[in-house]
Amino acid sequence: MVATARHPVESPELDSVAASADGDATVLPLDVTAPESAAAAAAVVADLHDRVDVVINNAGLWSAGRSMSPLADIDPGALLAVLRTNAVGPVVVTQAFQALLARAGGSCVANLSSGLGSLSRGVPKRNYGYAMSKAALNMATLQLADELSAQATQVVSLDPGWVKTDLGGPDARLAADEAATALLGVIDSLPPESTGAFLDRRGRPVDW
């Protein structure tokens, strides 16, 4: 198992994850907004492992500056920052790990999306950046699923629900470990025809 963070020294929780893996875990720096960082992480992983079975794209920003303001106050730079992390970042990481995923002969990329990116669920008010980024991520999932099917890599969008994380806040309904366990169960049981799907933590389809 490999876990990543922009600054691992600032994420002590990863040390606990590594310790629980009985030494079979590596913690690496990876900034999804920097292609060179993703490439460097993939190079280290390639030295340690002959393949990658699953990539979980979990990095995300709720907001950046005035990305959730009324139109008159929106900062385009803030919108771009959210899109760069939430929508472009997973493409950057998947690109870096594509060759290792291909070597698995049946692998999976799971992009953590959100119901707020669903066009059919209505408009989340004053949520330009995050909602736009997750809708864009869902399209990235479809694009990646189509291209990577040739190497037997499934790609799915997963909606974990409202989770108690730094992004989700303390009022969220789900504990992080509960959501993570549920999502891993979905990934482990994906049938081949699920590639390109948008699913919730119970494996049920989410409306685009």
Side-chain angles (χ1 to χ4, degrees), residues 14 37 45-46 81 94 107-108 111 113-114 132 137 168:
L14 292 182
S37 176
V45 173
T94 305
S107 53
C108 178
N111 296 323
S113 186
S114 169
M132 286 169 59
L137 175 61

Side-chain angles (χ1 to χ4, degrees), residues 79-125:
L79 283 180
L80 289 170
V82 177
L83 285 162
R84 189 177 184 188
T85 294
N86 294 1
V88 180
V91 176
V92 168
V93 172
T94 305
Q95 181 186 52
F97 285 87
Q98 180 181 358
L100 285 166
L101 287 161
R103 293 177 196 168
S107 53
C108 178
V109 175
N111 296 323
L112 290 211
S113 186
S114 169
L116 294 178
S118 169
L119 299 178
S120 62
R121 287 190 175 185
V123 180
K125 302 298 184 183

